[in-house]
Amino acid sequence: MSAWICSLLMKKRARIIVLGLITSFSVALVLMVKLQRDAEQPVTKKKDVKAESPTLSTRTTTPGGHKMAILVPFRDRFEELLEFVPYMHNFLSKQGTSHEIYVINQVDDYRFNRASLINIGFLESGKDCDYVAMHDVDLVPINPAITYPYPRTGVYHVASPDLHPLYHYRKFVGGILLLTRDAFISTNGMSNRYWGWGLEDDEFYVRMRHQALQIERPLGIKTGYKTFRHIHNRKKRQRDTAKHFNQSVELRHLDKITGASNIRYKVDSKVDITIKGAPAKIINVALDCDLKNTPWCLKPEYHTVYKAKGLIP
């Protein structure tokens, strides 16, 4: 009797073990199927969604295939240039802003003419660039919230008066100014009569107003006058602010004659350079001066010689 009971119990235990093995195998099979399905589904964890959200390093500020030509009027500022080119290239690349840097280097012996160099840069820059940045070589943004977008209204003043470290008057449009090519053409660019330093931006403000161009400026920037770094050394490089002949009187009036359409110049050479891995195009240009209408293009040391020759009054 006891032997029969033991045999029955052993058979029952065996059935339980078999059932347990079958159940375990079934559960394992279900888990394998579930894991396979989960692997085929897109991951939707919060950290993955955050990684795919627009950030400073992935944001594109020039949607629609826009490309910007940075026009840098230049003469004898190589220390600043060596810093400017790699800094701006990296700054804009991090934001996804398509760009090319054009350094328009004045190689003649006349006084510096920033406006004319910008006109030349506009004419010589690549036609694949549909907007331009008139950009001083000694001014760079240090707040990553500053962007260089394609101007919706035609004009976008990056270095606005409430952000520029030096100039805060309402009509100020210097430092860094973005324009679409159409907006620049509508003003005929800048006046070619401004030899020496200053005032050409103020006249360009009037030109834009005459064309009813709306000037947009950055919003929501909290860094104020510390938004940009101004790297000009005034003691080492004094600006030519002198006014010669009747220059002060003549430049009080809006120039309705000269501009990008009739700038006279010669391209001496074009050179592609790379500074710390950052590319730029150097355009060496010699300007032409209308001695009859703008004798103040001459440096003071040449006045006596030109007067003796009867070339200037």
Side-chain angles (χ1 to χ4, degrees):
M1 185 70 170
S2 60
W4 179 81
I5 293 174
C6 290
S7 176
L8 182 63
L9 290 173
M10 289 181 65
K11 290 180 179 180
K12 186 176 182 180
R13 184 180 297 175
R15 285 197 299 270
I16 293 173
I17 293 173
V18 172
L19 288 172
L21 290 173
I22 294 173
T23 302
S24 299
F25 178 79
S26 300
V27 172
L29 184 61
V30 170
L31 287 174
M32 289 179 62
V33 172
K34 185 178 186 303
L35 289 173
Q36 180 66 27
R37 288 178 178 176
D38 289 345
E40 295 174 353
Q41 295 297 320
V43 178
T44 57
K45 293 181 180 180
K46 290 184 178 180
K47 62 179 181 180
D48 296 324
V49 173
K50 182 177 180 180
E52 293 175 0
S53 298
T55 63
L56 181 61
S57 61
T58 61
R59 180 176 57 203
T60 299
T61 57
T62 52
H66 297 297
K67 187 176 182 181
M68 173 176 59
I70 303 178
L71 310 180
V72 185
F74 183 82
R75 175 188 265 177
D76 299 333
R77 303 286 293 276
F78 290 101
E79 291 179 13
E80 286 91 339
L81 186 67
L82 291 175
E83 181 176 352
F84 177 87
V85 171
Y87 185 92
M88 287 307 305
H89 176 70
N90 293 332
F91 185 90
L92 294 169
S93 295
K94 287 179 180 179
Q95 297 183 348
T97 303
S98 181
H99 65 280
E100 286 191 19
I101 299 176
Y102 292 86
V103 181
I104 305 90
N105 180 34
Q106 184 175 342
V107 297
D108 56 66
D109 207 26
Y110 295 120
R111 298 171 72 194
F112 186 64
N113 191 323
R114 176 177 177 270
S116 289
L117 296 178
I118 289 174
N119 286 340
I120 294 171
F122 177 82
L123 297 173
E124 296 290 335
S125 59
K127 296 300 185 290
D128 59 330
C129 298
D130 56 353
Y131 72 115
V132 300
M134 298 156 51
H135 209 305
D136 288 349
V137 72
D138 57 8
L139 188 68
V140 294
I142 56 178
N143 184 340
I146 289 294
T147 60
Y148 287 64
Y150 181 81
R152 297 179 304 167
T153 64
V155 184
Y156 185 82
H157 187 208
V158 179
S160 63
D162 58 333
L163 301 177
H164 195 282
L166 296 179
Y167 307 111
H168 310 139
Y169 58 95
R170 184 177 60 86
K171 296 181 179 180
F172 174 69
V173 291
I176 309 169
L177 184 68
L178 314 184
L179 295 100
T180 63
R181 295 191 74 88
D182 288 341
F184 192 92
I185 291 172
S186 73
T187 65
N188 193 22
M190 306 184 78
S191 170
N192 297 316
R193 293 168 56 83
Y194 286 81
W195 301 86
W197 183 85
L199 300 179
E200 74 282 346
D201 286 324
D202 294 338
E203 203 232 28
F204 191 61
Y205 174 84
V206 178
R207 289 189 176 213
M208 290 190 292
R209 288 296 300 270
H210 280 208
Q211 296 301 318
L213 291 173
Q214 181 182 348
I215 303 172
E216 284 192 298
R217 290 186 164 109
L219 298 175
I221 304 298
K222 306 297 184 181
T223 45
Y225 300 149
K226 296 182 179 180
T227 302
F228 300 92
R229 181 159 55 91
H230 194 252
I231 57 179
H232 177 72
N233 187 331
R234 289 191 173 185
K235 292 183 179 180
K236 188 175 181 179
R237 293 187 177 87
Q238 295 183 357
R239 286 171 169 160
D240 177 13
T241 60
K243 300 295 182 286
H244 302 288
F245 302 97
N246 60 338
Q247 183 177 5
S248 296
V249 176
E250 287 294 321
L251 297 183
R252 290 177 183 174
H253 311 290
L254 178 65
D255 178 11
K256 299 181 180 180
I257 299 175
T258 75
S261 64
N262 55 6
I263 175 74
R264 298 190 302 182
Y265 67 99
K266 177 183 178 181
V267 175
D268 185 72
S269 62
K270 295 183 179 181
V271 182
D272 291 331
I273 66 169
T274 302
I275 304 175
K276 295 181 180 179
K281 298 179 182 295
I282 307 293
I283 304 176
N284 297 308
V285 299
L287 302 179
D288 190 15
C289 176
D290 183 350
L291 291 173
K292 180 179 179 181
N293 292 311
T294 58
W296 54 82
C297 67
L298 295 172
K299 295 178 180 178
E301 56 265 35
Y302 297 125
H303 290 181
T304 302
V305 175
Y306 276 74
K307 283 183 178 179
K309 293 181 178 180
L311 299 174
I312 57 175

